[in-house]
Amino acid sequence: MVAFHILTLFPEMVMQGLSASILGRAAKSGCISIETVNIRDYTLDKHGKVDDYTYGGGAGMLMQAQPVYDAYQSVAGRIGQERAHRVVYLTPQGKTFCQEMAQEMAQESDLIFLCGHYEGIDERVLEEIVTDEVSIGDYVLTGGELPAMVMIDAIARLVPGVLHNGESAQTESFGDGLLEYPQYSRPEVWHEKRVPEILLSGDHAKVDAWRLEQSLQRTKERRPDLYAKYQEAHAVEKK
Ligand code: 6GU
């Protein structure tokens, strides 16, 4: 069971994205829980303002420390001091998210995601509450909501009970460091293309060997970086 807590100015966007399909089912069944906290609900400003100009000048507005800190405190208080919790700030300046980080975070009981907007968040509150700064890749997005949703999807599918039997097999191919082999369903011939004969043979050992070969070939062609890592890891085993 992992509890995801998302601090955001756009709670509807996050809830919409995470309540469909597999994650929605998992939340209903209790394998995970997902809650959003609207940072705007915590502002002390009488007009509901959560941002202001930056000291030193320059374009753009910054999210202020006070509403972010108070929104965080409301969640931290409910989690309680006896349960450790990581606070992930989504930012292009963070460490790039990867499968290994997803694996590690899936072991936690509570994860807090802090989504920034505008030009970012006042550095002082980040210093006090954030434990992990994470990016999802080298491109710029308008806010941290989509990155938080991407991370939550990747983490949640690793939590026991979230995927059902038919769905769980897919974990292994990328977990292994190789890309997925090509797959086929009915009919046997479509647009004059035949399904590879070996897949119809019923010989499971041959099918497995063919799939591994396809995975290796694809990884070598499309992701030479992953292929080099795989070779390194398996060279040691062979000795
Ligand atoms: Cl985490 N945030 C924003 N705003 N842009 C990004 C990102 C995060 N990761 C990649 N681009």
Side-chain angles (χ1 to χ4, degrees):
M1 159 73 187
V2 181
F4 298 96
H5 313 266
I6 305 110
L7 310 177
T8 172
L9 289 173
F10 300 93
E12 332 71 43
M13 172 185 178
V14 174
M15 270 334 261
Q16 282 242 354
L18 296 178
S19 53
S21 185
I22 295 172
L23 295 202
R25 181 186 73 197
K28 270 197 190 131
S29 78
C31 306
I32 58 171
S33 70
I34 304 171
E35 71 153 350
T36 53
V37 174
N38 192 339
I39 295 168
R40 198 176 300 280
D41 290 346
Y42 291 84
T43 182
L44 298 177
D45 179 83
K46 56 179 183 281
H47 302 109
K49 201 167 65 74
V50 292
D51 61 325
D52 208 334
Y53 299 100
T54 59
Y55 282 114
M61 307 286 274
L62 206 62
M63 282 169 69
Q64 293 167 281
Q66 177 272 316
V68 171
Y69 188 70
D70 290 358
Y72 162 75
Q73 286 295 345
S74 79
V75 173
R78 270 184 288 115
I79 293 172
Q81 291 181 334
E82 58 291 347
R83 268 155 70 186
H85 57 263
R86 288 165 82 165
V87 180
V88 178
Y89 175 49
L90 290 312
T91 168
Q93 295 162 53
K95 185 175 167 199
T96 307
F97 188 55
C98 62
Q99 192 64 26
E100 193 186 336
M101 288 166 76
Q103 200 72 249
E104 186 189 304
M105 290 186 181
Q107 314 304 313
E108 303 281 338
S109 62
D110 292 270
L111 292 167
I112 302 179
F113 292 85
L114 173 57
C115 305
H117 250 269
Y118 313 111
E119 294 306 302
I121 301 181
D122 190 307
E123 192 69 22
R124 294 168 296 184
V125 67
L126 299 178
E127 284 171 10
E128 288 203 12
I129 71 175
V130 172
T131 61
D132 300 85
E133 299 205 351
V134 182
S135 162
I136 62 163
D138 291 340
Y139 39 81
V140 181
L141 301 168
T142 55
E145 282 75 14
L146 286 167
M149 288 158 72
V150 165
M151 284 186 68
I152 291 166
D153 190 284
I155 295 162
R157 66 187 288 289
L158 301 175
V159 174
V162 169
L163 295 189
H164 292 180
N165 293 336
E167 296 155 352
S168 59
Q170 287 190 334
T171 313
E172 277 143 42
S173 69
F174 198 73
D176 217 27
L178 291 177
L179 300 183
E180 191 75 79
Y181 47 79
Q183 300 195 83
Y184 306 87
S185 185
R186 287 194 288 185
E188 264 182 54
V189 182
W190 181 81
H191 283 199
E192 293 171 20
K193 295 174 202 281
R194 289 201 67 81
V195 171
E197 212 56 49
I198 208 157
L199 299 178
L200 311 173
S201 70
D203 184 333
H204 294 299
K206 274 192 179 163
V207 168
D208 287 348
W210 181 85
R211 285 177 169 169
L212 177 60
E213 186 49 42
Q214 292 288 316
S215 281
L216 287 166
Q217 200 179 307
R218 273 199 172 182
T219 310
K220 190 175 179 181
E221 270 170 31
R222 300 179 188 190
R223 292 293 304 275
D225 57 323
L226 290 182
Y227 187 71
K229 262 193 205 161
Y230 180 88
Q231 277 191 312
E232 219 172 282
H234 289 254
V236 183
E237 281 175 30
K238 276 179 197 158
K239 276 178 198 163

